[in-house]
Amino acid sequence: HGTAAASQFFLTSLYFFAGATGDIPPDSLPSVPGTLPHFLKEPEDAYIVKSNPIKLLCRAVPALQIFFKCNGEWVHQNEHVSRESMDQNTGLKVREVLINVSRQQVEDFHGPEDYWCLCVAWSHLGTSKSRKATVHIAYLRKNFEQDPQGKEVPIKGMIVLHCRPPEGVPTAEVEWLKNEELVSSMTDENIDTRADHNLIISEARLSDSGNYTCLASNIVAKRRSATATVVVFVNGGWSLWTEWSSCNVPCGRGVQKRSRTCTNPAPLNGGAFCEGMSVQKITCNSLCPIDGGWEEWSDWTVCSVQCERQRRRDCNNPPPRHRGKMCEGPGDATENCTGGMCTQSKCALLLVAFFSTFSNDVALYSGLGAGVIAVAVLVVAVMLYRRNQSDYGVDVIDPSALTGGFQSFNFKTARQGNPLLLSSSLQPDLTVGRTYSSPICFQDSIDNKELFDPLPDIKVKVQSSFMVSLGVADRAEYHAPKGQPPETFPRGLNRDYSNSTVERRSPKKGLLSPTKVQLKTTGVFGHLGGRLVVPNTGVSLLVPHGTIAEDTSWEMYMVINQGESSLQTEESCDILLGPEVTYGPPGLDLSSPVAMTIAHCAELDAENWNIQLKRKTQENKGEEVMSVEDESTSCYCLMDSTSCHLLLDQPGSYALIGEPLTQAAVKRLKLAVFGSLGPTAMDYSLRVYCVDDTPHAFQGVVATEKGKGGQLLEEPKMLPFRGNTFSLQVSIQDVPQFLWSIKPFTTCQEFSFSQVWCSNQQPLHCAFSLERYSPATTQLSCKISVRQVKGHEQILQVYTSVVQSEKESVPFFMQSDCTITSQTGPKAFKIPLSIRQRICATFDTANAKGKDWQLLAQKLHLDINLSYFAKQQSPSAVILSLWEARHQDTGDLDSLACALEEIDKIHSKSPATKRQEDPDLVHHLETGNPGIPVCGMGELTNHESANSVPLEFPRNSLST
């Protein structure tokens, strides 16, 4: 038996040796009686970090041999490290085998599965296999797939910070740090970090503000995300109003105040401050004490048998009221009625009675005569007092003026040469103002700089005379006209309609002007293009060359809609910043956009305004086309300080609508004062207009005053009007008191904030009626103060002659050379057609440095919303059209010439770029023909023909 066992062991060892060397597979070893191997330790999944090999360990009992098999192939015996021991409890052999797996082995393996290994153990009874252990190369990418983003969250709001860790093997674990300290949901129930690696704070607290970082880690490395700053803010809330204070004067008209503070809660961490006023004021009237006064003594009584008579008086003239004093002195009087010779005889008593009656009658008639004389004196005194008061005028102040105090204002003397101002035969004080005689014309093609310049910022302190209050609450009437709905256009348009017409309509009751106008202009345009202008309104339309197909012409029109705009939303605080303009006709077929220019009255500031371009839909409602701060491929909007330039593809009605974002939003008002004689030769009327600062809105004032025969007395001035909810006050000051009288209670008049802010291009006005005492008074000088409470102030200086024979009629703006409303062909453009075509051919072509038209837009300062130009068939042509619209008032090509020279200097540095130039254009530009100025040298002088106006530059100065 022992010999058989030894033989079997020898055979088994032989088989093992052959199998290990690959000659005979171990699976073919014969089974022998015994126990199957049992694995005490199986190989585990492992990760190779960097270039460090991993070790796979296998231990089995009883085991005669153990070998590893990786990816279906046996590992060579030489790569095994074996160790054998004896189990002390069972006496069975325990065998342990170890192999190394390198990074190179794993990278070289290309199979359908991951790299794997298992071990096979043999005993006398047979074989056993372990589990498969996979081997991966561990790594962790550097960049997070999603970094957390900072947030500003109101208190008790929810905070969600998203984090997607970098890709890695094994998958990275995520932790959150707040201010470099670990955040755990185990210690704070308000925080959850288990949801998809995100950090969720259900109710934000002030303590949750901080810098949060997402930390991802595995066996390879740790990665930190970008830091996200979380700010938990608290919006301010008003406390309760305090009680009204007592009246600040013991007697008469005064002020009561109450206040509140923004402390319930106070704003924290950038939270919004409370909206509204912290102090409220109302007027109060404290009743003045009235001291009592005696009535007249009563008649003496009949002499009594005691030789006495009595009389009495009451303290009722007036009775004491409101803590007034009682009358001083006795209320009863007694005296001897016999002169001290008192007797009881009958004869004496009759004598005394007779003399007493006679004495009473004399006193009665004497008292009546004295009363009549006193009344006559009193009436004369009252008449003299009233006459004296009318000489000096009466001032009245609105209660809101009590909060205004003294304000600074911008003051500028009138410029010489403004033809709107009337001429006076007298030489005025040059420190007060100047007179003007020649007429002016507001053409759309000239710069109205003399009339619309912003005023210098000179600060002067002025004491307002209307601060004297008489306690009278009467206020003068004002007229705030509302526009009438315009007539339907262009449906009513006919072919014999003139280039520019003004339709007069019957006015509504209460409107400012006697007539209402609708401004229209038309023109027939073909392939050569042209320009439409509504005179004196700041509105124009440029139709570029090639916009209309060849052999095609359209009768195009523009209308300024005079009625209330339908593009505003009633529920919002939107205001109209310029006129609503319609161009057409509908169905107009355009191959490139037209350029429309509309004047506006906003002080541009993206932080204070949200300005949108809106278009009227078929349902007569307004739809947003674009916001001027956003990019759009359907429309282009370029905002200048006073005008907006639009590139439009579709006919329709368009308007600029402004939504104030803060109380610092400002719109410009134009102020003007006109004068005319009143109903009688002794009367004179001053009318002050406050209107949105656009040429079109001022045209409404001009039309109104032309109908009244009014004259402009001072150069119009601009007043910045803030959206701070405070009203506008107009007052007249420094009227010569002994030469002129003014209607009582009209020296200060007021417009509410909503009337001024939402005037929507409609003028507001107030009037001051003056009367001169003597026909010899021929001059009037005074000041008109226009101020916004807690805002800016402007002074209009009036110095004029009121004698009809010395005055000249005001021509306003209606001159023959102002009525050109339509130009067609080359004369409508500043850039000659041949030069325009060559510039487009050069800049529309791509080169090694990118699209040249982008550089052209940059040098012309039109490099916003470039995506709109990119979709055009010829971006350079659209850029040049926008430049034409923007510079229609300047009349020179200096800026374009300078831009081309700068581009030439950039491209001249690249020889490859020069080889792409148009040699004909270079030759044309270098011939030195007159017409186009060298940069900064002159202006365009010839518009006769597109082909006859070449560019003139120094040789080699411009090579594109």
Side-chain angles (χ1 to χ4, degrees):
H1 179 73
T3 303
S7 300
Q8 181 66 35
F9 177 77
F10 175 78
L11 183 60
T12 302
S13 299
L14 179 63
Y15 269 89
F16 269 116
F17 176 79
T21 58
D23 297 330
I24 303 174
D27 294 341
S28 64
L29 290 175
S31 297
V32 292
T35 304
L36 282 174
H38 170 67
F39 287 99
L40 300 178
K41 183 174 182 61
E42 297 183 83
E44 297 179 351
D45 296 340
Y47 296 93
I48 297 176
V49 178
K50 297 181 180 179
S51 298
N52 300 321
I54 55 97
K55 300 180 184 299
L56 296 180
L57 179 66
C58 191
R59 184 185 301 124
V61 60
L64 299 177
Q65 287 293 339
I66 300 176
F67 286 92
F68 272 91
K69 197 176 194 179
C70 293
N71 302 317
E73 297 181 359
W74 294 101
V75 179
H76 197 276
Q77 183 180 9
N78 294 338
E79 298 179 11
H80 292 72
V81 178
S82 300
R83 189 174 64 178
E84 188 178 288
S85 62
M86 185 71 70
D87 190 336
Q88 299 296 328
N89 296 325
T90 62
L92 298 176
K93 287 184 179 181
V94 178
R95 183 170 291 275
E96 182 179 275
V97 176
L98 178 71
I99 67 170
N100 291 329
V101 178
S102 67
R103 182 186 185 100
Q104 188 65 40
Q105 290 176 277
V106 177
E107 289 179 345
D108 291 343
F109 173 69
H110 302 286
E113 300 178 300
D114 293 331
Y115 191 98
W116 58 268
C117 293
L118 59 80
C119 54
V120 181
W122 285 267
S123 70
H124 293 289
L125 185 61
T127 62
S128 297
K129 293 182 180 180
S130 70
R131 65 178 291 275
K132 283 184 179 181
T134 58
V135 180
H136 298 273
I137 297 176
Y139 67 92
L140 184 62
R141 307 279 186 205
K142 290 185 178 180
N143 296 326
F144 278 72
E145 294 184 5
Q146 182 179 8
D147 285 305
Q149 302 295 319
K151 294 181 181 247
E152 294 184 357
V153 183
I155 194 167
K156 295 187 178 181
M158 177 178 285
I159 303 174
V160 179
L161 297 179
H162 298 281
C163 176
R164 293 174 59 190
E167 179 186 352
V169 174
T171 302
E173 297 181 356
V174 172
E175 295 178 308
W176 284 90
L177 301 178
K178 173 192 171 186
N179 299 331
E180 302 303 324
E181 294 184 2
L182 191 63
V183 176
S184 173
S185 58
M186 304 298 294
T187 57
D188 192 341
E189 296 180 353
N190 196 36
I191 298 177
D192 183 7
T193 59
R194 297 167 295 175
D196 239 2
H197 307 308
N198 299 329
L199 174 65
I200 301 176
I201 302 178
S202 54
E203 286 191 7
R205 303 156 295 192
L206 289 176
S207 59
D208 292 324
S209 298
N211 297 320
Y212 288 82
T213 307
C214 181
L215 185 65
S217 61
N218 64 6
I219 60 175
V220 179
K222 290 184 178 181
R223 306 282 188 234
R224 294 170 61 96
S225 70
T227 299
T229 301
V230 174
V231 177
V232 180
F233 62 86
V234 179
N235 291 325
W238 288 114
S239 64
L240 297 177
W241 287 104
T242 61
E243 297 295 330
W244 288 105
S245 66
S246 57
C247 204
N248 65 338
V249 294
C251 172
R253 188 181 184 188
V255 176
Q256 284 181 287
K257 299 180 182 179
R258 67 174 183 174
S259 62
R260 57 181 179 175
T261 58
C262 189
T263 56
N264 187 31
L268 290 175
N269 296 338
F273 197 79
C274 304
E275 296 183 358
M277 297 185 298
S278 61
V279 177
Q280 282 187 343
K281 297 181 181 181
I282 59 173
T283 57
C284 57
N285 286 295
S286 296
L287 299 176
C288 297
I290 300 177
D291 296 336
W294 289 114
E295 292 181 342
E296 296 293 331
W297 285 101
S298 64
D299 295 335
W300 289 104
T301 61
V302 178
C303 196
S304 66
V305 293
Q306 289 82 15
C307 300
E308 293 180 341
R309 60 180 183 179
Q310 291 87 26
R311 65 176 181 178
R312 66 183 309 275
R313 58 181 179 178
D314 294 324
C315 188
N316 288 326
N317 187 31
R321 286 179 295 175
H322 315 312
R323 306 176 305 279
K325 297 179 182 179
M326 290 295 295
C327 302
E328 296 182 359
D332 299 302
T334 303
E335 68 175 10
N336 189 289
C337 52
T338 62
M341 297 181 294
C342 184
T343 175
Q344 297 294 327
S345 66
K346 183 176 181 181
C347 213
L349 290 175
L350 290 175
L351 185 62
V352 169
F354 170 77
F355 281 108
S356 174
T357 302
F358 177 78
S359 175
N360 287 341
D361 291 340
V362 171
L364 174 63
Y365 291 119
S366 299
L368 288 176
V372 170
I373 295 173
V375 170
V377 171
L378 180 61
V379 169
V380 172
V382 169
M383 292 180 64
L384 291 176
Y385 174 79
R386 291 188 63 183
R387 178 63 179 270
N388 185 50
Q389 288 299 310
S390 65
D391 289 349
Y392 285 89
V394 180
D395 286 331
V396 61
I397 183 170
D398 188 80
S400 64
L402 294 171
T403 65
F406 299 132
Q407 302 291 328
S408 61
F409 70 98
N410 296 327
F411 180 79
K412 178 174 68 174
T413 59
R415 292 190 191 87
Q416 187 174 4
N418 190 330
L420 279 175
L421 303 180
L422 73 105
S423 175
S424 173
S425 59
L426 300 178
Q427 291 296 327
D429 183 358
L430 294 179
T431 64
V432 176
R434 294 177 183 158
T435 55
Y436 302 84
S437 57
S438 60
I440 192 172
C441 165
F442 276 162
Q443 295 193 42
D444 204 62
S445 59
I446 61 174
D447 189 2
N448 301 323
K449 188 174 181 181
E450 284 297 315
L451 192 59
F452 297 99
D453 263 353
L455 298 167
D457 206 10
I458 303 174
K459 301 295 184 181
V460 181
K461 279 290 185 181
V462 174
Q463 257 191 341
S464 301
S465 63
F466 62 83
M467 291 301 292
V468 181
S469 172
L470 296 180
V472 183
D474 297 8
R475 198 172 289 145
E477 269 190 289
Y478 66 87
H479 300 278
K482 295 184 178 179
Q484 302 180 17
E487 293 184 353
T488 304
F489 186 78
R491 293 181 183 176
L493 184 67
N494 49 40
R495 299 291 290 184
D496 57 355
Y497 175 71
S498 63
N499 275 344
S500 179
T501 64
V502 176
E503 290 189 1
R504 304 203 171 272
R505 302 183 177 181
S506 300
K508 292 182 181 178
K509 185 177 180 181
L511 288 181
L512 179 148
S513 58
T515 58
K516 200 67 177 178
V517 298
Q518 185 179 47
L519 301 173
K520 310 174 184 177
T521 183
T522 63
V524 178
F525 298 98
H527 186 68
L528 294 179
R531 189 190 302 266
L532 275 178
V533 175
V534 182
N536 313 321
T537 62
V539 176
S540 65
L541 184 73
L542 182 74
V543 184
H545 174 272
T547 299
I548 299 175
E550 294 188 23
D551 302 326
T552 304
S553 63
W554 287 87
E555 184 179 21
M556 299 179 64
Y557 60 82
M558 266 199 315
V559 182
I560 297 181
N561 304 326
Q562 297 291 83
E564 293 184 0
S565 175
S566 60
L567 301 180
Q568 298 170 263
T569 54
E570 296 180 357
E571 63 275 6
S572 68
C573 54
D574 297 346
I575 64 172
L576 197 63
L577 298 179
E580 179 183 330
V581 181
T582 301
Y583 91 92
L588 186 63
D589 186 13
L590 303 175
S591 61
S592 62
V594 297
M596 178 185 289
T597 298
I598 303 176
H600 67 82
C601 62
E603 288 288 342
L604 299 180
D605 190 338
E607 294 182 357
N608 300 325
W609 281 106
N610 175 29
I611 301 178
Q612 298 174 342
L613 176 66
K614 289 193 175 183
R615 175 174 54 206
K616 186 182 295 186
T617 63
Q618 293 181 350
E619 293 79 17
N620 207 30
K621 296 181 179 180
E623 66 174 358
E624 181 182 348
V625 179
M626 67 175 296
S627 175
V628 297
E629 296 297 326
D630 299 335
E631 291 201 357
S632 171
T633 58
S634 62
C635 181
Y636 189 97
C637 182
L638 177 66
M639 296 292 292
D640 284 341
S641 59
T642 59
S643 296
C644 172
H645 308 285
L646 307 172
L647 295 177
L648 305 173
D649 297 318
Q650 301 179 12
S653 295
Y654 296 88
L656 280 179
I657 305 297
E659 177 188 4
L661 302 179
T662 68
Q663 291 190 357
V666 173
K667 81 168 187 176
R668 301 186 309 274
L669 296 180
K670 184 167 289 296
L671 312 175
V673 56
F674 289 80
S676 64
L677 290 176
T680 67
M682 304 295 286
D683 295 332
Y684 196 79
S685 175
L686 293 177
R687 293 178 294 278
V688 181
Y689 292 86
C690 306
V691 64
D692 292 348
D693 187 12
T694 62
H696 160 256
F698 192 65
Q699 273 293 93
V701 176
V702 170
T704 300
E705 284 299 320
K706 186 179 181 182
K708 293 182 177 180
Q711 291 184 316
L712 187 64
L713 304 181
E714 162 68 320
E715 179 182 2
K717 295 186 177 181
M718 189 274 289
L719 176 72
F721 189 80
R722 299 178 60 190
N724 58 6
T725 72
F726 289 101
S727 59
L728 187 73
Q729 296 176 344
V730 184
S731 62
I732 185 169
Q733 304 172 6
D734 299 341
V735 178
Q737 300 172 351
F738 299 100
L739 300 177
W740 293 86
S741 66
I742 186 170
K743 184 178 179 181
F745 314 132
T746 63
T747 56
C748 180
Q749 304 182 39
E750 185 174 23
F751 298 110
S752 69
F753 171 80
S754 59
Q755 291 166 345
V756 181
W757 189 253
C758 302
S759 60
N760 292 331
Q761 304 291 298
Q762 301 298 325
L764 302 174
H765 95 293
C766 59
F768 299 99
S769 299
L770 297 96
E771 181 182 0
R772 48 182 173 163
Y773 293 128
S774 169
T777 302
T778 61
Q779 301 293 323
L780 171 62
S781 64
C782 62
K783 293 180 181 178
I784 304 293
S785 169
V786 184
R787 63 180 289 269
Q788 184 184 15
V789 178
K790 294 189 177 180
H792 292 82
E793 181 177 14
Q794 275 289 9
I795 296 292
L796 298 174
Q797 181 71 49
V798 175
Y799 186 89
T800 181
S801 170
V802 297
V803 180
Q804 185 69 31
S805 60
E806 297 181 7
K807 295 163 64 177
E808 300 177 1
S809 61
V810 177
F812 296 117
F813 318 123
M814 306 302 180
Q815 290 188 350
S816 59
D817 58 345
C818 296
T819 58
I820 300 176
T821 62
S822 174
Q823 286 183 314
T824 60
K827 62 183 179 180
F829 304 99
K830 302 186 183 302
I831 307 175
L833 177 58
S834 61
I835 302 303
R836 176 188 176 96
Q837 291 173 339
R838 296 192 179 201
I839 291 176
C840 293
T842 301
F843 287 99
D844 284 340
T845 304
N847 60 29
K849 296 186 178 181
K851 291 288 186 181
D852 278 340
W853 62 263
Q854 296 181 2
L855 188 57
L856 178 65
Q858 177 186 351
K859 295 303 179 182
L860 294 179
H861 307 293
L862 302 174
D863 52 342
I864 61 172
N865 198 6
L866 293 179
S867 57
Y868 178 84
F869 298 129
K871 76 158 192 172
Q872 303 298 325
Q873 183 178 3
S874 174
S876 301
V878 179
I879 292 172
L880 293 178
S881 298
L882 184 60
W883 183 92
E884 287 261 9
R886 192 179 192 184
H887 294 83
Q888 59 181 308
D889 295 334
T890 58
D892 67 75
L893 296 175
D894 278 1
S895 62
L896 179 60
C898 291
L900 295 177
E901 269 198 271
E902 291 182 17
I903 295 173
D904 173 58
K905 293 177 182 178
I906 295 174
H907 282 255
S908 62
K909 298 178 182 179
S910 172
T913 305
K914 283 192 172 184
R915 286 193 294 269
Q916 297 175 5
E917 296 163 355
D918 180 356
D920 293 335
L921 179 57
V922 175
H923 173 74
H924 186 72
L925 295 175
E926 293 181 350
T927 54
N929 293 330
I932 300 298
V934 181
C935 179
M937 296 296 291
E939 297 186 355
L940 181 68
T941 58
N942 183 10
H943 271 295
E944 295 300 323
S945 170
N947 295 322
S948 64
V949 187
L951 293 173
E952 177 186 350
F953 290 95
R955 181 170 297 274
N956 298 325
S957 67
L958 180 63
S959 48
T960 54

